[in-house]
């Protein structure tokens, strides 16, 4: 009698989601580039101009927006009209973010099905998936923020993991100021999570954030004698 192997349905489900996500990205990129590449709009213009200035060796002169994303674009050559490398990296970051939030769902609900549903809902939502093709900081910010939350929600409490979460949060703040009002929630959660070593845990997370933010402020002061104290988080 021949034994029939049905395989892992969860693995097949994840493979189908990934295949559909690839198809969706191809369709969206086709819409973006044909019959001709879409023009830049809104904040995209500011980010590309800032990254072009950085590529020319000029300093960043953008006091309103968080500073990290123009450096990210400049490193990928976006300031010289090379769009594809940046879009490819942002699509990868989109996948990383989806996996991070899937890990958070699995931890919170103790269910791989919840994780798969979360990943699928993110990867297959067309409006959200299209953000990876535009020159806005959302994908970088989401991957950093999601990575930090996945570490903290996953109960990883060794100093190395906590410092990594803090570094990701610090970089996320430098990518978008919108995260700033939510940092106290993270700190309160760490400070109230049991009495044993709670302040040490909080210090391991807070230290990288302070170092990264302090370095960014010091570089502003060194370059032109002013601090990047303004933020667009209020109207975002």
């Amino acid at each position: 009698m021949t034994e029939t192997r049905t395989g892992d349905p969860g693995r097949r489900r994840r493979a189908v989601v990934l295949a559909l996500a690839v198809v969706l990205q191809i369709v969206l990129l086709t819409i973006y580039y044909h019959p001709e590449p879409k023009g830049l709009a809104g904040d995209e213009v500011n980010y590309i101009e800032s990254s072009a200035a950085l590529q020319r060796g000029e300093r960043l002169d953008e006091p309103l927006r968080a500073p990290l994303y123009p450096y990210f674009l400049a490193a990928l050559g976006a300031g010289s009209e090379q769009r594809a490398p940046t879009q490819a990296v942002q699509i990868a970051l989109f996948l990383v973010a989806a996996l991070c939030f899937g890990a958070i769902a699995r931890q919170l609900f103790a269910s791989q099905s919840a994780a798969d549903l979360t990943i699928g809902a993110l990867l297959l939502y067309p409006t959200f998936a299209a953000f990876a093709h535009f020159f806005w900081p959302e994908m970088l910010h989401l991957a950093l923020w999601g990575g930090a939350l996945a570490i903290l929600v996953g109960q990883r409490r060794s100093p190395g993991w906590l410092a990594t979460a803090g570094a990701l949060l610090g970089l996320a703040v430098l990518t978008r100021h919108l995260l700033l009002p939510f940092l106290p929630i993270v700190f309160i959660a760490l400070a109230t999570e049991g009495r044993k070593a709670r302040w040490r845990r909080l210090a391991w997370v807070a230290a990288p954030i302070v170092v990264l933010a302090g370095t960014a402020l010091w570089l502003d002061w060194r370059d032109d004698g002013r601090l990047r104290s303004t933020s667009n988080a209020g109207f975002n």
Side-chain angles (χ1 to χ4, degrees), residues 17-40:
V17 167
L18 181 59
L20 290 175
V22 171
V23 171
L24 177 60
Q25 287 292 331
I26 292 172
V27 170
L28 292 173
L29 283 170
T30 301
I31 294 172
Y32 185 95
Y33 279 103
H34 294 283
E36 60 183 21
K38 292 191 178 299
L40 301 176

Side-chain angles (χ1 to χ4, degrees), residues 11-216:
R11 182 176 298 178
R12 291 201 303 271
R13 182 173 60 240
R14 290 187 287 275
V16 170
V17 167
L18 181 59
L20 290 175
V22 171
V23 171
L24 177 60
Q25 287 292 331
I26 292 172
V27 170
L28 292 173
L29 283 170
T30 301
I31 294 172
Y32 185 95
Y33 279 103
H34 294 283
E36 60 183 21
K38 292 191 178 299
L40 301 176
D43 286 349
E44 286 186 299
V45 177
N46 300 97
Y47 285 123
I48 292 296
E49 288 179 349
S50 296
S51 66
L54 291 172
Q55 287 181 241
R56 293 192 300 268
E58 302 172 11
R59 67 177 180 83
L60 181 65
D61 186 17
E62 181 55 81
L64 182 62
R65 294 170 180 84
L68 185 60
Y69 189 61
Y71 286 97
F72 170 82
L73 292 177
L76 296 172
S80 55
E81 300 299 325
Q82 297 181 23
R83 298 188 182 188
T86 301
Q87 290 171 324
V89 172
Q90 290 188 159
I91 290 171
L93 289 172
F94 180 38
L95 175 59
V96 169
L99 293 175
C100 287
F101 284 100
I104 293 169
R106 182 171 57 248
Q107 180 69 26
L108 292 178
F109 299 104
S111 168
Q112 183 60 47
S113 295
D116 294 344
L117 179 61
T118 300
I119 294 170
L122 287 171
L123 293 181
L124 300 180
Y125 182 47
T127 303
F128 204 27
F131 263 79
H133 307 159
F134 294 90
F135 299 97
W136 296 318
E138 274 73 12
M139 288 300 115
L140 177 59
H141 179 263
L142 195 66
L144 294 168
W145 177 227
L149 285 182
I151 292 172
L152 296 176
V153 173
Q155 298 294 313
R156 301 182 186 275
R157 294 297 180 261
S158 68
W161 279 114
L162 291 173
T164 300
L168 291 174
L169 287 172
L171 292 172
V173 169
L174 293 177
T175 303
R176 288 208 70 186
H177 291 138
L178 187 63
L179 180 60
L180 280 170
F182 297 95
L183 284 182
I185 300 174
V186 175
F187 295 153
I188 291 171
L190 285 170
T192 56
E193 185 189 52
R195 294 185 176 182
K196 185 178 179 180
R198 57 182 177 178
W199 298 114
R200 187 179 302 172
R201 290 194 299 269
L202 182 58
W204 277 111
V205 174
I209 299 174
V210 172
V211 169
L212 288 168
T215 300

Side-chain angles (χ1 to χ4, degrees), residues 59 71 215-227:
R59 67 177 180 83
Y71 286 97
T215 300
L217 291 172
W218 176 77
L219 290 174
D220 283 340
W221 182 263
R222 185 197 65 178
D223 288 343
D224 56 10
R226 62 181 175 136
L227 298 178

